[in-house]
Amino acid sequence: MNTALVLSALLFLVLLLSVWVVPVMGYNTQQRYQPEQPVPFSHKHHVAGLGLDCRYCHTSVETSSFAGIPPTETCMTCHSQIWTHAAVLEPVRQSFATGVPLRWTEVYRLPDYVYFNHSIHIAKGIGCTECHGPIGDMALTWKWPTLYMSWCLSCHRDPAPHLRPLNQVFNPFWKRTPDTPSGKLLMAAYHIHPETLSDCGVCHR
Amino acid sequence: MTVLIDLPREAPVVGPGVTLRSLSEEVSNRVLLPNTPRWWWIGFALGMALLLTFVVQLIWLFINGVGIWGINIPVAWGFAIAEYVWWIALASGGTIVSALFFLTRSPWRSATNRIAETMLLSAAPCAGLLPIMHLGRQGLFYWLFPYSSVMGVWPQVRSPLWWDFVCLLCYILMSIMYYYTGLLPDLATVRDLARTRWKQVFYGVLALGWHGSARHWRNQQTVYAVMSAIMAPMVISVHSVVGLDFAGGITPGWHSTQFPPYFFFGAVISGTALIMMLTILVRWGYGLEDVLTGYHLNALAKVMLVGSVMLGYAYVWEAWGPIYGSDVAERTQFFYRIFGFYAACYWGKIVLNIVIPQLLWLPIVRRSEVLLFSISAGIIVGMWLERFVIVIPSLSHGYMPSYWGVFFPTFWDWAALAGTIGLFLSLFFLLLKLVPIVSMSEVREIVAKERSR
Amino acid sequence: MSIAHRDYWRSLEELAESPGFAQLVEREAPRFRDMLGPLDRRNFLRLMAAAMALGGLSDCGPEAEPRQLLPYVEQPPGIVPGQARYYATATTRSGFATGVLIEHRMARPVKVEGNPDHPASLGAASAIMQASILELYDPRRAQTILGQGQIDSWEHLITALFDRREQLLARGGAGLRLLTGAVTSPSLRAQIALLQQQFPAMRWHQWEPLGRGNERIASERMLGRPLDRRFDLDNADIIFAIESDLISNVPGWLAYARQFAAHRRPDETGGKMSRIYAIESTPTLIGAKADHRLALGPADLAAAMRYLAAITGAGPQDWQQTPVADAAWLRAAADDLNQHKGRVLVHAGREQPVEIHLLADAINNALGAFGQTIRLIEPVAPSGSTDQSLEALVGDMTAGRVDTLVMLETNPVYDAPADLDFTAALNRVPLSVSLALYADETAMASTWLVPATQEYEAWGDARAFDGTITIQQPQVRRLYNGHSPHELLAVLHGNTLPIDYQLVRDFWQNETHQRGIGDFDRFWHEALRIGIVENSAAPTVTATPNASALTSLQAAEKPVPGVQLLFREDPLVGGGRDVNNPWLLETPRPFTRLTWDNAALIAPATAKRLGLGIGDVLEIADHGRKVRAPVFVLPGQAADCITLPLGFGHTAGGLGADIGFDAYRLRTSAAPWITRGATLSRTGETYRLATVQGHDRVAGRDLVREGTLTEYQDNPDFLRRPETDQSLYPEYKYPRYAWAMAIDLNSCIGCQSCVVACQAENNIPTVGKDMVLQERIMHWLRIDRYYHGPVDNPAVAFEPVPCMHCEQAPCEVVCPVHATVHDHDGLNLMVYNRCIGTRFCSNNCPYKVRRFNYFGFAERDDRPPESWNPEVTVRNRGVMEKCTYCIQRIRHAEIEADKQDRLVPDGAIQTACQQSCPTQAIIFGNRNDRDSGVARRKASLLDYTLLDELNTRPRTSYAALIRNPNPKIGDREA
Amino acid sequence: MSQIFGIVGVFDRPEAVTDAAKHLRSLGFRAMDAYTPYPVEGLDQLLRPQRRMMLPLVMFAAAVAGAAWGYFIQTWDEVLNYPINVGGRPHNSWPAFIVGTFEFMLLVTIAAGLFGFLASCRLPRLYHPIFNADAFGRASVDRFVLCVEARDPSFEVEHLRRIFERFGAERVAEVPA
């Protein structure tokens, strides 16, 4: 075979790989990132097991940009009664006794120039699991999406498939059923203007 | 350096004593023989010294950012851009000589085109680096490439800057390919004349096994012709687009439809001027008086003269527009340009680019290497001033009187200028040592013709 | 920040000692630390990236090192993370309170807004008020108690004071002196009264370097007793301003400015406009707005006033005989005044001599202004008798009759009259305690320095210009363990553990008890919530003006040849009180556009005569006291008058030390506002003054459209240009919102409040003098000042210039990476994180509203991280930035509205500049909404856009400047 | 005798080579090639009359492809993928796309030219038996070499040697394979 042609073909291949393959490699996407936490808190146990509602701990998710990390006292409302001597909960009791906050490690980290607002997503029928993945089944919280801008855009350009009835937003096990209203309908009902959602200023200020 | 070259009416393109062998050996030996002339070492050392300042300047720039330069608001573009335009003009000069005059089948071009292209390849990197250096966040320049990033955002292709980026990129790549296509047979010659092992290997690899068979020649000729036919419009487009960088803006002093040709004229004159200087240098340094004859210098001088006249035409329009037009901002801008803080630069460019080159009407001037060399040098300075006048005064006197301001170059501005010059010299002298500086295969044809006459 | 990189370039030895160096290390250390941190592969790559200055690369790609989240242990009720909360309090200047609301983010104060319920603010906030938030965080504030210059403790101070107290009690307080500024705080006054009881022989002195003494004396002579005035500009058809600070400095000027502007908008008043006459020696804001203005030296000014008094029948008729300059002008003005009896106001600035104030009052009286445009109230800050003056104190100190001096937040060593030589006197006082915010001159010279609490750190109370009381509540735990004046006084009372909360609350408990308000808790919480004590405004009193007051005037003094020095307050540093505030130092002065310095202001003619140019350093000597000052040639300045702005040239304190020259050194107690016979000598040196305006005139461009009221009434669209906005491009539709801004040139008084408000809201860094000189100032909003007409008395136009948010924006088209683009509301977005810094957008912006981070200005800025506004990105090096119409506020409002499925109502979004503007010159809103404020403004025939010939379709438009000249006076500029 | 690649005749004038080649073709020789220091007019047509030049066509095709690619990239960017309102300009601002299109076209054309040229010359190929001809060293300087390869059916050393000498070859040599 002709050397010149082979060389040019190789050149092309390298370019394609560097653009389309390298960025989606796990090292770059950091998906399944699962840091150590002071307390091995399990959403699986609390949500799937006990059936707690997200808002029981993440109180400001409907009202504020920030969903809210529960204060120690929230943990203690139950754990002053049950598992009062469990070793894993020692840090919680410590914190409550000493008044020193727990130090959780952030799993979903957005850059400082990205302004994400939980409340509006909730209000427009975006379920928690749309971004947090199978959070209800996570023994230890791990990062589900790539959090790439292209990932955000995929939904901001075409929200319809990701919408659900408002009463299902906090249901981590929700599945679309034949009788759920179509995305188009919901979009109309929520007065969502998809064309405006990919404006840069929606997230970057 | 001979003071006055005797130039008979129908001067030969090559000197009488030149044979195929003498030509090949004379040229190849510059590359092959171990002994390097002192003037080369001096030139190369100078280049490296300046290159060092460039490196220092780059490091300081990366540590502190573009704030180290004198630029500000309103004058957000300074030396970096002016010099970018300057370098790209010099570079395009190379292509003009080698491609444009190949199409016109001008015999004198054969001997000088390698110098022209070598000059082009040494100047292009300077032109390429400056716009990147001048970015606020240099590391992100790759966002200009049209590739699908994880951000899902692409370049904004309406921007003249993007056009410019694409042009520059294509231009450099294309120039390298064009250069190489022409160089291949000569590399083969050097390979065959090489005596030491590593040189045989080195040039053997570069020559890709060229063996001058009839078919090789035919393909090479065809491709080279077509390439030239492409490079000619390319070089015109490159400099027109550089012109659009400014004409595309609405800033008074920039927003002018004549910029594309204006800038091209600039490229012609400044490029030729630099080739002239280098030709004289090589001619003298390598003693190639009978290959690079007075005939060549004479031809280059005429091109320079034409360029100067065309440029003068552009200057007239540059002045006529604002004066005749009704735009207050344009007019204040122009009068600021010729009488204001930077007036000296304006008049400097007029004298160096238009007035002095008129001397070239006189044959006697065209035959004196000294005069040609100094006029060319003057033109190159003059062109630098022209770029400066286009970029800086225009910005400093914009639409908003409340935001008129001036730009003072800092030490680091000058360091950038010296540095790019250093880069150019180092590259040029390096290539001078590595590649045959005259296109042997083409000159052979001429020698053959001369002989058959 | 500024200091730091000013020192940066000095010689290394000097560098090592300089405080700047410490800050430098402080600032740079973190960078190096994370470089030296554990170099795992990723960090190493990022480090290399940094080393190669591939700035921004580290922003994208793999995550940076993990961040920690710290929840509360017990969440305080009502605090919702991510939402803002507002708390009311007040800031005071020379005693007078202005109500503010402080915005808190995650329990951190980040922004000051005016309190709409407070009479002195009405929602507006001056530049100084806006900047006070930075004072709160200023790391250069005094932080430790110094005893004899050694670091010492609060306990030691208390013991020291107690020992002294024993002796004092023994001698009934003889030798104990208290020095304060003007005090309006009821609780503090009560404490002082209590102290007076304990120590009968104690004496309380008050010293305000920029006090309104002349005004007070005048009203004593005119009205029998010292009374404060409140002005009712709604009734004033004619305002005659004698170098008046009515809309720039008088207590309550924000409120007056609003009233003032309300009568200068012909569109909204139905074609009526007040008319302003101004005569002044040095330009004032009201002078700039005046329809007729004369620049007169003090002597001419006095003559003019006598002439005016005579014509208006306020003074002896023979005064008409003495010839005056501009007689015709004055006569016309006088006729105008006479025709509007009862609806005029003559107002003289505090710097005017008693004589002028008397004349002004006489004219007011003759024209029936009292009771109409002037209301009288009992003084809000009564200043004691003459033996409570500073002179008396200094006298006693030098005589050795003072052994204990307590100074509360006053700085006499710096600002006392030069002839008193306070410093020498202070050295003779064995025990002097200075409660000070900064380690200023006085604090360093006294035996004890006690760091004071900033106003947002402690409990207190204060009264506004109309007597309204505000109870100040702390906004944050004390940052630098300061102490409030209440606490220090309480120590003298014998209280060893004073707590400001207790002191203030107890005072009000028993106050309400006496006032017979039953439910104290309700009262207390309500007062704190709304920020004022309800109906605590002082009642108006009546006093019959003494018509014969003028007879006491001696003959007019002859004008003396030679230059005279006028001492005036610098408009932004409050006589030195605020000189440590980088925002205020970097804010351009309205007329000179000068930053980071003060300069001797000289009229062009005088400058020519003396052969002086801008930047020439002048040595001014008076009674053997010398000052070297750079010259600034100021159009509109009266001939032979040199204005010396007070408040600069500190030798100690914070950032302000060593900036500018100290004009107090020439100021005497005898003549606090003017000196004659000073000698000037050129030093031959020159000094670089950092001004920010390139050119003073519009240079033929159509930037300021101006006309007269009559023209407007005759032909309402006389300023309109034939519509030119055709375009090749298909129109973009903005169906939902079309955010737009309207700026009224008639209302803008050039006070610079909006500039600082914008800086505070949008995390705009200060750059320092050297960068201003390099024309790299970062303000997103600037107020251009244009002159036209004769240079010795030009007409002035103030033009605020934010981003125009052009619909066909030139900047966007030239950006190669989509870093600045439009959104569907028509906002011109600037996406910092996409910007690679080509700067073409700035080159292509005809309005030059874009700013570039040539260095990492924000990271050099040495304010603590928590003081930034978390809703706005802090820009890093190498990115472009510009006005965003406060997009963070827009998005917040839009999100809240979307949650309720409704459109954002008009007025729900106020940009920072709009909110702070005292005159409502700036209005922002949805252009699509027909009856929104902005749509109505834009409907006006006066509405125009800048450089519309470029067809950029700006969203920001301007209302043309309309003046209301007196037809009998030839128009100053044709 | 051992394997040989062919036999070369070394001439000092281009005309000689041309004549020799013409004669050899008339004798029916096909497997031959000429190596010259500079292109000799018509030599290639003489040696391979039937061969046609594809390169210009290739480059033209490349130009069309390049232009299409260039314009598509820009349309994809501004119109299809992420249409943004940039300064009120229409999404498909085709006049602004022309420059990019033009440059892409030229780049692809030239690249196609270079690679096509190398391909059609069977380059890079660092070894070729003709290099073994000791006289070949001057073929790239000042001599004109004609080589008849051994694979030609009617290849016969002595016969060819005589023909070369008749046409004035200054040297005739065998080229080892």
Side-chain angles (χ1 to χ4, degrees), chain B residues 193 260 342 362:
Chain B
L193 292 178
Y342 300 105
L362 310 172

Side-chain angles (χ1 to χ4, degrees), chain B residues 20-21 24 146 152-158 162-163 166-167 170 173-174 177 180-181 184 188-189 191-193 204-205 208-223 226-227 230-231 233-234 237-238 241 244 441 444-445 448 451, chain D residues 33-39 43-45 47-48 51 53 55-56 59 73-74 76-78 81-82 86 89-91 93 96-97 99-100 102-104 106-107 109-111 113-114 117-118 120-126 128 131 136-138 140-142:
Chain B
L20 289 182
R21 177 161 204 89
S24 306
V153 188
W154 289 62
Q156 204 282 101
V157 303
R158 291 176 198 81
W162 189 78
W163 305 344
V166 172
C167 271
C170 297
L173 292 176
M174 290 162 71
M177 298 195 246
Y180 192 64
T181 316
L184 208 49
T189 307
R191 172 198 63 197
D192 297 340
L193 292 178
V205 171
L208 300 179
W210 169 272
H211 45 268
S213 73
R215 168 206 278 184
H216 279 190
W217 277 123
R218 187 161 162 220
N219 292 338
Q220 196 259 2
Q221 290 287 296
T222 330
V223 167
V226 182
M227 280 189 173
I230 294 171
M231 288 307 284
M234 176 66 198
S237 83
V238 167
V241 169
L244 287 177
S441 55
R444 282 192 198 108
E445 294 183 62
R451 216 166 41 171
Chain D
D33 206 340
Y35 306 90
T36 57
Y38 58 86
L43 197 50
D44 193 46
Q45 288 89 329
L47 295 169
R48 289 177 215 70
R51 187 163 150 278
M53 202 59 182
L55 263 172
M59 290 174 84
I73 285 254
Q74 301 181 62
W76 163 257
D77 164 359
E78 295 290 354
N81 174 47
Y82 201 156
V86 174
R89 308 309 196 258
H91 293 315
S93 330
F97 299 172
V99 177
F102 182 70
E103 302 304 332
F104 276 113
L106 298 187
L107 176 63
T109 318
I110 291 263
L114 177 62
F117 156 62
L118 294 177
S120 62
C121 296
R122 299 279 180 279
L123 295 177
R125 176 180 176 187
L126 296 189
H128 190 281
F131 294 163
F136 176 77
R138 295 186 65 177
S140 62
V141 180
D142 61 349

Side-chain angles (χ1 to χ4, degrees), chain A residues 2-5 7-8 149 153 157 198-200, chain D residues 81-84 115 118-120 122-125:
Chain A
N2 188 313
T3 341
L5 297 180
L7 285 178
S8 37
M149 178 169 158
L153 280 172
R157 281 173 180 160
S198 54
D199 286 338
C200 308
Chain D
N81 174 47
Y82 201 156
I84 309 180
F115 285 102
L118 294 177
S120 62
R122 299 279 180 279
L123 295 177
R125 176 180 176 187

Side-chain angles (χ1 to χ4, degrees), chain C residues 362-376:
Chain C
I363 299 171
N364 276 327
N365 184 21
L367 297 173
F370 285 100
Q372 289 301 319
T373 57
I374 305 176
R375 309 229 188 295
L376 301 170

